[in-house]
Each structure stands twice: as structure tokens, then as C-alpha cells.
């Protein structure tokens, strides 16, 4: 779940390949250059890895219970990320697209609502500010 290293979408996608799957749904959360009217230069994510990984695994397990999916992966970066960097990646494979889409959305929404990850924005003005990740959509 938690990664200090840059996320590699193509490698993660390969882990989801399965002859049974007819669909793959993915979500990439990117670092953007603005928030609430302020220019942003970069972001810094931190977490409590033991708890974040445990909660992330629980969320993926719930997705398997709720949706007919074959495989699912969720990873979130920590550390300093530049504009355009991938902060979070979720991928779900399933026999059918509906289950893949629904499970993918479920996983990212639950991560944002439950996993202890904190985001510090570094603004172009030279100031910084902590942002509540749990309220963003």
C-alpha cells in the first residue's frame, strides 16, 4: 500500500493480468499545480505505514467481498512529489467492466476516507500548508 518509491503503473497493471479478466479499471491521482486558488510547487505525503498498510489491505479485502473482481492493487506514495507525479494508483481486474469500475471507485474513496495519510502542500509563495486528504473528492 505505502511506497517511498515512485509508482510504476505499467508494472502494477501487469500484476493484474488474468485470462479470466475481461476488464481493467485504474485510477491515478496526480500532483496538480494548484489548490484552492493557490499555486502549488510540490506535495509532501506522510503516513503511519503499519496502520496505513493494514487499513489499505482491509479496504482491498472489502472490495473482494462487495464486488465480483479477480484482482486489486492499491498503492500510495509518501515523501516529496513534484507536479505531475503519481500520488496514488488503484487497479482492479474483473470479468466485467461494471465490477471493475465499481470496485476501483470504492477502493480510492475508502483510501481517501480511512487511510492515515497526510498531505503537506508547498506553495509557490514559499509557504506550506497541511491539507486534510479525507475531504477531497
Amino acid at each position: 500500500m505505502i511506497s517511498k518509491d515512485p509508482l510504476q503503473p505499467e508494472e502494477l497493471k501487469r500484476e493484474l493480468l488474468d485470462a479470466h479478466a475481461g476488464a481493467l479499471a485504474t485510477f491515478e491521482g496526480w500532483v496538480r499545480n494548484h489548490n484552492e486558488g493557490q499555486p502549488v510547487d510540490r506535495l509532501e505525503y506522510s503516513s503511519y505505514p503499519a496502520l496505513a498498510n493494514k487499513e489499505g489491505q482491509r479496504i482491498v479485502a472489502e472490495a473482494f467481498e462487495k464486488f465480483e473482481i479477480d484482482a486489486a492493487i492499491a498503492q500510495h506514495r509518501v515523501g516529496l512529489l513534484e507536479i505531475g507525479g503519481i500520488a496514488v494508483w488503484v487497479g482492479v481486474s474483473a470479468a466485467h467492466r461494471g465490477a471493475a469500475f465499481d470496485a476501483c471507485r470504492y477502493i480510492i474513496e475508502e483510501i481517501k476516507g480511512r487511510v492515515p495519510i497526510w498531505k503537506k502542500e508547498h506553495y509557490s509563495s514559499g509557504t506550506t500548508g497541511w491539507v486534510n486528504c479525507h475531504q477531497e473528492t
Side-chain angles (χ1 to χ4, degrees), residues 61-130:
E62 290 169 7
F64 276 96
E65 292 173 11
K66 293 177 177 291
F67 308 99
E68 291 186 36
I69 61 176
D70 295 327
I73 297 173
Q75 288 197 349
H76 203 297
R77 280 288 310 276
V78 292
L80 197 60
L81 282 80
E82 300 298 325
I83 302 302
I86 300 173
V88 60
W89 192 91
V90 176
V92 178
S93 61
H96 302 286
R97 68 181 175 272
F101 280 128
D102 292 345
C104 189
R105 182 174 186 104
Y106 175 82
I107 291 169
I108 188 60
E109 296 297 339
E110 293 300 308
I111 287 171
K112 290 298 184 181
R114 295 168 38 190
V115 176
I117 298 171
W118 302 279
K119 179 170 65 172
K120 183 178 186 181
E121 294 183 332
H122 294 257
Y123 303 109
S124 297
S125 65
T127 61
T128 61
W130 289 97

